[in-house]
Amino acid sequence: MASAADLDIHHTAYLGPDGEPLQALPESLSAPESLVALYRDMVFARLFDTRAIALQRTGRLGTYASLLGQEAVGVGVGHAMRAEDVLLPSFREHAVQLKRGVQAEEIYRYWGGDERGSDFAGPKEDFPVCITVGGHTPQAAGVALAFKLRGEPRVAVCVMGDGATSKGDFYEGLNAAGVWQLPFVCVVTNNQWAISTPRREQTAAETLAQKAIAVGIEGEQVDGNDVVAVAAVVGSALAQARAGRPALVECLTYRLGDHTTVDDASRYREDAEVSAAWQRDPVARLRLYLTNQAGWNKDREQALLAECEQAIERAVEAYLETPPEPVGSLFDFLYERLPEPLAAQRKALLGGDRG
Amino acid sequence: MATVAEVNLLGAVNLALKRAMTEDERVIVFGEDVGVDGGVFRATDGLLQSFGPKRVLDTPLAETLIAGLAVGLAAQGFRPVAEIQFMGFIYATLDQMINHASRLRTRTRGRLTCPMVLRAPYGGGIHAPEHHSESTESLFAHVPGLRVVIPSTPADAYGLLLSAIRDPDPVVFLEPKRLYRQVSEPVEDDGTGVPLDRCRVRRAGSDITLVSWGAMMHETLAAADALGADGISSEVIDVCTLKPLDTATILDSVSRTGRLVIVHEAARTAGFGAEVAASVAEAGLFDLKAPVLRVTGWDTVMPLPRHESAYLPDAARIVEAARRVMAYD
């Protein structure tokens, strides 16, 4: 009989839902100013999200996937990453993208139907969002392999939802990370819902973190509504990965909004469940902690909200004022140089000869 | 230094890989059994010994992974050359190739690119087991942003593969495995690429245009010989790059011959022959003296080896079609 693995899945939390510390905070995150910075990013992400939905409802943005309730995951992961690491996000991970330096107006542009939104001015090597669920996992293994082959101390961070862990490409990518001991961290934002399919119908596995065990890498769980826990645990995972030991971190959170702006979650889940989940709101939790422990008050809250609102207002203006891209762009990025046989099609598009 | 070697198509692929890896350290080769074993056909034989385990990697048995690795590596500045062992196993790469590789440049407006090559042996004729003989090149030829390249001679396998690896965009490079060891010719290993996106005129002629690619080129040339014995002069075009299609070379030929037969071993419906025929119908209809005919695999499942020869087009079927076309005044 072989002893294959330690089957205990470690779970980490620092802040309870009421904002009370459950244990001493890690030293690197205990200073009030560090936590205020994380709080600011979470508030910014939420206001960004609220505004995105408002833009969509008023016909100024396309279909949009809300991050509501997942602010701590994105901000915690983004805080833990280094600038030189590479992020491969799924489509609901705006919070980590913002934290990485993707501009709010770029994300609005993308969801507003403009490819230029994925031409980030900031994190130049980060991938655009992956819409095909889980498809970015093998790509992240490729990015991580590139780092390993070049001997660079960088990590590929692949962020996905719970639904992705049911897919084969998720397993294939994770498996390669294990075989080759790649600098790879897989973050599963387990928000309990894949559109209308609840977590319990995705898998009979007790946790999603344990899927790491099958490929011989470490997997653990963290309270995904506790930004301190996310930042600390993902930070440790990144340090390990940089030393060639890949890991999976399952962040337990909840999708407080609809799947997207064209979804109506009331068709498949109970209001009571959503109300209960609001009791675990990651933003309120950190605010309570700061209020009780670090002198956070109404004035500071108001000032922060005003600052974030102004920044988002500027982003919205920049987005709405973006000059349209010429239609020739349909062809201009298809290949490095447009092949001769396609030149006639481009000319037909531009010349109005659509035949 | 250029050396001339007498090689078959497989040897030419091997030479091109070695040349590409020698001239560009960003080129890495990976896939199932490509390292220690040198590939099930030996296309990658000796690469591991020459270039080491950082540039020649055996992967887990996972085709989606192989294509996804290539996307990730390519975005990071490598020039990955990934092997899929047989085309019958390539379908697991479609999500990566269609949703990601083909559109990474477009969706990031050129910020990230995907200079990768996905190599696979394809086609029938070697009495291989089930799922080892398919010819489904049109699946990839339909996808904007990809290139689909198919050589039919050792020299072209060498030159086209070099160009594919050097190309800044994703290329699906399909190798007609029936030809791997069938024909040898001298190939000068001087690193000269054969241009992509161009059809090759294999044989000049005046009465009829025969268009084909891959293993069917050889049946087509045999048919041209047979037709020539009867005084019918065939112009034979090797498409080489299916996507994007060089219609100009085909239209030019048809404008002179007025007759066209297209030959491929893939099933007929929505096969790439339909694209060739449609292109001629759109831009060369009034040059035609006769209907365009296709000689193709049947619209059936690719049979197991016992019926393989009944499925695959041969010179006799091509001659028959050509004679029907020639019967029109």
Side-chain angles (χ1 to χ4, degrees), chain B:
Chain B
M1 236 200 12
T3 53
V4 178
E6 179 85 10
V7 291
N8 57 26
L9 200 145
L10 196 57
V13 166
N14 187 265
L15 272 185
L17 291 172
K18 284 178 175 158
R19 170 64 66 165
M21 294 184 80
T22 302
E23 73 181 16
D24 186 347
E25 63 178 17
R26 298 172 301 170
V27 177
I28 65 171
V29 168
F30 54 89
E32 294 158 9
D33 310 300
V34 302
V36 178
D37 199 29
V40 292
F41 286 100
R42 310 289 177 255
T44 55
D45 195 29
L47 296 183
L48 177 64
Q49 290 79 359
S50 299
F51 300 99
K54 282 189 154 186
R55 298 187 64 198
V56 183
L57 292 91
D58 281 320
T59 64
L61 201 166
E63 286 81 11
T64 305
L65 169 72
I66 292 169
L69 285 172
V71 173
L73 286 159
Q76 271 296 313
F78 279 86
R79 294 281 171 139
V81 182
E83 178 177 304
I84 298 298
Q85 206 159 67
F86 287 91
M87 194 156 192
F89 312 145
I90 212 167
Y91 312 119
T93 74
L94 288 178
D95 174 51
Q96 290 296 326
M97 298 308 294
I98 298 174
N99 286 322
H100 300 284
S102 74
R103 49 196 296 158
L104 191 59
R105 181 188 291 280
T106 289
R107 62 196 302 256
T108 62
R109 288 303 186 244
R111 181 173 62 82
L112 297 176
T113 62
C114 197
M116 64 173 281
V117 176
L118 191 72
R119 290 180 47 242
Y122 89 103
I126 65 160
H127 308 302
E130 194 171 12
H131 300 299
H132 287 61
S133 298
E134 281 70 14
S135 176
T136 41
E137 62 273 19
S138 65
L139 293 179
F140 291 101
H142 187 61
V143 181
L146 294 183
R147 279 189 164 78
V148 180
V149 176
I150 301 180
S152 75
T153 68
D156 270 6
Y158 176 83
L160 289 170
L161 182 52
L162 277 179
S163 296
I165 295 170
R166 291 168 185 159
D167 191 81
D169 292 298
V171 178
V172 178
F173 192 86
L174 301 174
E175 299 162 8
K177 58 179 172 293
R178 182 181 180 179
L179 303 181
Y180 264 162
R181 298 188 170 91
Q182 189 171 300
V183 195
S184 293
E185 66 181 354
V187 172
E188 190 169 4
D189 182 17
D190 61 356
T192 304
V194 169
L196 305 179
D197 308 350
R198 290 280 175 275
C199 295
R200 264 189 188 279
V201 178
R202 286 267 167 233
R203 185 177 295 184
S206 53
D207 296 329
I208 185 168
T209 301
L210 308 177
V211 170
S212 190
W213 55 90
M216 285 298 111
M217 273 312 300
H218 294 260
E219 297 300 324
T220 304
L221 287 165
D225 288 340
L227 292 166
D230 287 351
I232 297 168
S233 165
S234 304
E235 181 144 303
V236 181
I237 294 177
D238 185 346
V239 173
C240 295
T241 300
L242 276 69
K243 172 87 166 190
L245 177 64
D246 166 20
T247 52
T249 297
I250 295 168
L251 286 166
D252 172 68
S253 179
V254 171
S255 75
R256 287 179 283 102
T257 63
R259 293 178 168 88
L260 174 62
V261 172
I262 304 154
V263 183
H264 61 66
E265 66 180 270
R268 172 168 307 202
T269 300
F272 196 71
E275 184 59 39
V276 175
S279 298
V280 170
E282 281 179 339
L285 183 66
F286 300 113
D287 293 327
L288 290 170
K289 300 168 185 162
V292 174
L293 291 189
R294 287 176 286 169
V295 180
T296 68
W298 310 114
D299 279 337
T300 66
V301 171
M302 177 76 198
L304 292 180
R306 288 189 185 216
H307 285 315
E308 194 173 39
S309 62
Y311 176 89
L312 293 171
D314 58 17
R317 278 178 61 194
I318 301 166
V319 167
E320 195 186 310
R323 289 194 196 289
R324 281 170 58 199
V325 169
M326 289 307 298
Y328 289 83
D329 280 328

Side-chain angles (χ1 to χ4, degrees), chain A residues 77 80-82 85 155-157 185 233-243:
Chain A
V77 172
M81 289 176 72
R82 291 184 187 166
D85 295 334
V155 181
V157 179
V185 171
V233 171
V234 173
S236 302
L238 279 159
Q240 265 195 43
R242 237 177 277 286

Side-chain angles (χ1 to χ4, degrees), chain A residues 27 77 84 94 125 128 147 158 175 197 208 223 245 256 306 313:
Chain A
E27 204 175 317
V77 172
E84 65 268 26
H94 327 302
E125 295 176 52
F147 297 156
C158 191
N175 184 52
T197 306
L208 302 180
D223 184 339
R245 293 194 307 282
L256 290 169
E313 188 55 40

Side-chain angles (χ1 to χ4, degrees), chain A residues 119-175:
Chain A
D119 182 11
F120 311 143
K124 280 288 185 192
E125 295 176 52
D126 281 8
F127 270 54
V129 295
C130 186
I131 300 287
T132 64
V133 171
H136 55 333
T137 330
Q139 297 165 9
V143 171
L145 180 58
F147 297 156
K148 180 172 174 131
L149 292 174
R150 288 195 296 246
E152 295 171 348
R154 305 165 71 189
V155 181
V157 179
C158 191
V159 188
M160 65 195 65
D162 39 304
T165 64
S166 299
K167 287 195 66 196
D169 36 16
F170 160 79
Y171 178 80
E172 291 188 22
L174 208 65
N175 184 52

